[in-house]
């Protein structure tokens, strides 16, 4: 009985600690009544709050678990379309958004959000290139007979879209260089770190405030400034993660008298999901020689649980509650999914593969079949 009372008290305390700590009001034109407005955590895909528009107005009140400024989607769903507004929010903000409708987000006005204004400075800078790329890709998609020559015109070394992407990277790098000492600038740096040398990353990290250094973004930049990821011949980097039973285990526990395939993937990536069938075939064929460790790179528990529904009982499924902001993601220098690391019986990297196609299975099989 005492234990039951204690559980109830703890539950009440937990619920009371999760009082609403974010408020968003919006006034906009051109969107019908009852349009569904939803605030979504980009990292976990969790719905924070939702409401319906009435006479061009909506109000959301929810709870942000993350204590540091983080990226969120404000999804505006009507019968005809779905629009996404990106926001960088932190707890205890009271935000007003004005003029998001037919002209969204051209004349967007945001007040009360300290860090979202940083994002929209970047957006306005990149908007011309975004529009240019959208027109180019639309034009390319309408071409029915896509010959290698046509592909080269758009996607070749000096192709139209390739050059736009190059300008995008150059402007992003320039923006980061001027704004890396802000939360949004630093979060952008943690994603575009490959555009900077290690010396540049070290210098920028050293110039950060203590608060930013200790933030999740600062810690990622610190790792990227000293770490290049694994290369063939390196020993695995050990890490701790949560398995399908919510137990903390170390990757070193998965290394043994067999080959180990470490697959960084996500439920939200089509190539990742397609790779499961081929990796499963390898697992069954080389059951005594090969151990599969599937590391889920995102923070959303629903996606991870969808992985567990696959018919792969002998696999090890791991995750980290910080998702792509975890040190594991940075230490292994993951830039896309799926990324596969194949280790020998001593834990030495013998193959690294990015993406998955028909040749990938053969390349892995060559290494483990002898």
């Amino acid at each position: 009985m005492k234990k039951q009372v204690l559980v109830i008290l703890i539950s009440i305390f937990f619920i009371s600690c999760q009082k609403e700590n974010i408020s968003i009001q919006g006034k906009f034109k051109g969107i019908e009544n009852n349009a569904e407005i939803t605030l979504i955590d980009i990292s976990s895909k969790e719905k924070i709050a939702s409401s319906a528009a009435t006479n061009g107005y909506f109000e959301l009140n929810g709870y942000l678990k993350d204590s540091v400024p983080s990226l969120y989607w404000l999804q505006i769903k009507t019968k005809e379309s779905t629009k996404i507004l990106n926001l960088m929010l932190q707890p205890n903000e009271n935000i007003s958004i004005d003029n998001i409708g037919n002209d969204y987000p051209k004349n967007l006005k945001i007040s009360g959000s300290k860090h979202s204004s940083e994002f929209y400075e970047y957006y306005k800078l990149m908007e011309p290139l975004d529009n240019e790329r959208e027109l180019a890709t639309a034009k390319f998609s309408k071409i029915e007979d896509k010959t290698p020559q046509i592909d080269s015109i758009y996607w070749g070394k000096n192709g139209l879209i390739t050059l736009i992407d190059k300008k995008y990277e150059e402007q992003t790098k320039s923006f980061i260089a001027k704004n890396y000492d802000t939360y949004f600038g630093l979060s952008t740096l943690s994603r575009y770190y490959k555009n900077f040398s290690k010396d540049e990353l070290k210098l920028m990290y050293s110039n950060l405030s203590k608060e930013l250094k200790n933030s999740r973004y600062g810690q990622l930049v610190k790792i990227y400034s000293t770490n290049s990821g694994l290369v063939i011949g390196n020993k695995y980097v050990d890490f701790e993660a949560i398995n399908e039973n919510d137990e903390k285990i170390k990757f070193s526990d998965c290394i043994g008298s067999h080959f180990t395939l470490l697959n960084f993937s996500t439920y939200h990536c089509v190539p990742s999901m397609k790779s499961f069938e081929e990796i499963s075939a390898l697992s069954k064929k080389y059951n005594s020689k090969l151990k599969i460790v599937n590391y889920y790179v995102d923070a959303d528990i629903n996606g991870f649980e969808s992985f567990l529904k696959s018919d792969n009982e002998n696999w090890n499924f791991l995750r980290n509650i910080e998702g792509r902001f975890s040190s594991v993601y940075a230490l292994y220098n993951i830039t896309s999914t799926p990324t596969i690391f194949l280790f020998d019986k001593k834990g030495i990297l013998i193959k690294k593969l990015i993406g998955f196609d028909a040749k990938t299975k053969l390349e892995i099989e060559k290494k483990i079949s002898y």
Side-chain angles (χ1 to χ4, degrees):
M1 183 67 180
K2 287 183 178 179
K3 287 184 178 179
Q4 291 177 332
V5 172
L6 181 60
V7 170
I8 292 171
L9 289 173
I10 291 173
S11 299
I12 293 172
F13 175 76
F14 180 74
I15 292 170
S16 68
C17 288
Q18 295 206 24
K19 291 180 180 178
E20 294 169 342
N21 62 8
I22 189 74
S23 178
I24 303 176
Q25 301 87 43
K27 184 180 177 184
F28 49 86
K29 305 173 185 176
I31 296 179
E32 63 199 35
N33 279 346
N34 298 317
E36 185 181 348
I37 316 296
T38 308
L39 183 65
I40 301 170
D41 185 321
I42 292 180
S43 179
S44 67
K45 309 298 185 295
E46 180 183 358
K47 291 184 179 180
I48 307 301
S50 62
S51 73
T54 304
N55 297 323
Y57 177 83
F58 75 88
E59 184 172 344
L60 291 175
N61 294 286
Y63 175 78
L64 304 185
K65 295 178 182 177
D66 238 330
S67 60
V68 298
S70 303
L71 290 169
Y72 296 84
W73 287 323
L74 188 67
Q75 178 179 274
I76 306 164
K77 190 174 183 180
T78 67
K79 292 179 181 178
E80 298 180 352
S81 66
T82 299
K83 298 179 181 180
I84 298 291
L85 172 63
N86 291 279
L87 297 170
M88 192 168 205
L89 308 176
Q90 65 182 18
N92 304 313
E93 288 187 321
N94 190 348
I95 299 162
S96 294
I97 304 172
D98 191 20
N99 203 24
I100 52 174
N102 293 333
D103 53 358
Y104 157 76
K106 196 171 183 180
N107 296 315
L108 186 66
K109 297 177 182 177
I110 299 177
S111 61
S113 176
K114 180 179 179 181
H115 305 286
S116 289
S117 58
E118 298 166 3
F119 171 84
Y120 281 96
E121 284 179 24
Y122 174 69
Y123 173 83
K124 289 175 183 177
L125 175 69
M126 309 308 291
E127 185 182 18
L129 286 177
D130 284 331
N131 294 337
E132 192 177 340
R133 194 182 196 282
E134 186 177 345
L135 289 172
T137 52
K139 189 174 180 181
F140 175 77
S141 65
K142 289 179 181 178
I143 300 173
E144 294 184 2
D145 185 17
K146 294 183 175 65
T147 64
Q149 185 178 6
I150 294 294
D151 286 343
S152 179
I153 291 173
Y154 284 86
W155 298 98
K157 186 177 180 181
N158 293 306
L160 179 59
I161 297 175
T162 303
L163 291 177
I164 293 173
D165 288 344
K166 187 177 179 180
K167 288 180 184 177
Y168 199 99
E169 286 198 1
E170 289 172 352
Q171 287 190 195
T172 298
K173 183 175 181 178
S174 177
F175 174 86
I176 292 170
K178 296 174 183 176
N179 298 279
Y180 68 87
D181 56 349
T182 67
Y183 267 103
F184 176 72
L186 189 59
S187 71
T188 307
L189 174 59
S190 71
R191 289 182 288 117
Y192 286 90
Y193 67 92
K194 285 204 167 184
N195 292 333
F196 297 87
S197 69
K198 283 189 168 38
D199 286 341
E200 288 174 318
L201 292 174
K202 288 176 183 176
L203 180 60
M204 286 189 282
Y205 177 78
S206 68
N207 289 332
L208 295 175
S209 67
K210 184 178 180 180
E211 179 183 350
L212 288 174
K213 281 181 179 178
N214 292 330
S215 71
R216 59 167 53 147
Y217 313 114
Q219 289 301 299
L220 287 178
V221 171
K222 182 180 180 181
I223 292 172
Y224 288 133
S225 71
T226 57
N227 177 64
S228 301
L230 294 184
V231 296
I232 304 301
N234 285 168
K235 188 178 180 180
Y236 68 89
V237 177
D238 204 5
F239 60 85
E240 190 174 71
I242 303 169
N243 68 8
E244 58 268 35
N245 299 316
D246 284 332
E247 301 167 332
K248 287 185 178 180
I249 69 168
K250 290 185 176 181
F251 178 58
S252 54
D253 295 333
C254 302
I255 302 292
S257 58
H258 45 68
F259 292 92
T260 303
L261 187 151
L262 175 60
N263 179 27
F264 286 86
S265 55
T266 174
Y267 180 73
H268 306 287
C269 168
V270 174
S272 286
M273 299 310 295
K274 285 184 176 179
S275 72
F276 268 37
E277 184 177 347
E278 298 295 339
I279 295 176
S280 182
L282 282 171
S283 177
K284 291 173 183 177
K285 185 175 181 179
Y286 299 98
N287 184 47
S288 62
K289 297 180 66 176
L290 180 66
K291 177 174 279 190
I292 308 297
V293 179
N294 196 80
Y295 187 94
Y296 187 68
V297 302
D298 287 316
D300 63 312
I301 187 64
N302 292 331
F304 181 70
E305 289 177 347
S306 297
F307 266 15
L308 303 182
K309 294 175 184 176
S310 59
D311 184 24
N312 297 292
E313 293 181 1
N314 297 323
W315 291 18
N316 291 274
F317 289 91
L318 304 178
R319 68 183 181 94
N320 188 297
I321 59 173
E322 291 185 327
R324 303 189 189 217
F325 293 115
S326 74
S327 60
V328 181
Y329 198 80
L331 287 169
Y332 276 82
N333 208 14
I334 306 302
T335 56
S336 62
T337 56
T339 297
I340 294 168
F341 296 85
L342 182 64
F343 299 95
D344 67 11
K345 299 173 184 180
K346 296 180 180 180
I348 303 300
L349 182 65
I350 56 175
K351 194 71 179 178
K352 178 181 177 182
L353 299 157
I354 299 176
F356 202 98
D357 55 29
K359 294 179 182 178
T360 308
K361 180 183 173 184
L362 294 175
E363 292 186 58
I364 295 170
E365 198 160 11
K366 284 179 184 178
K367 293 292 184 180
I368 62 178
S369 60
Y370 62 84

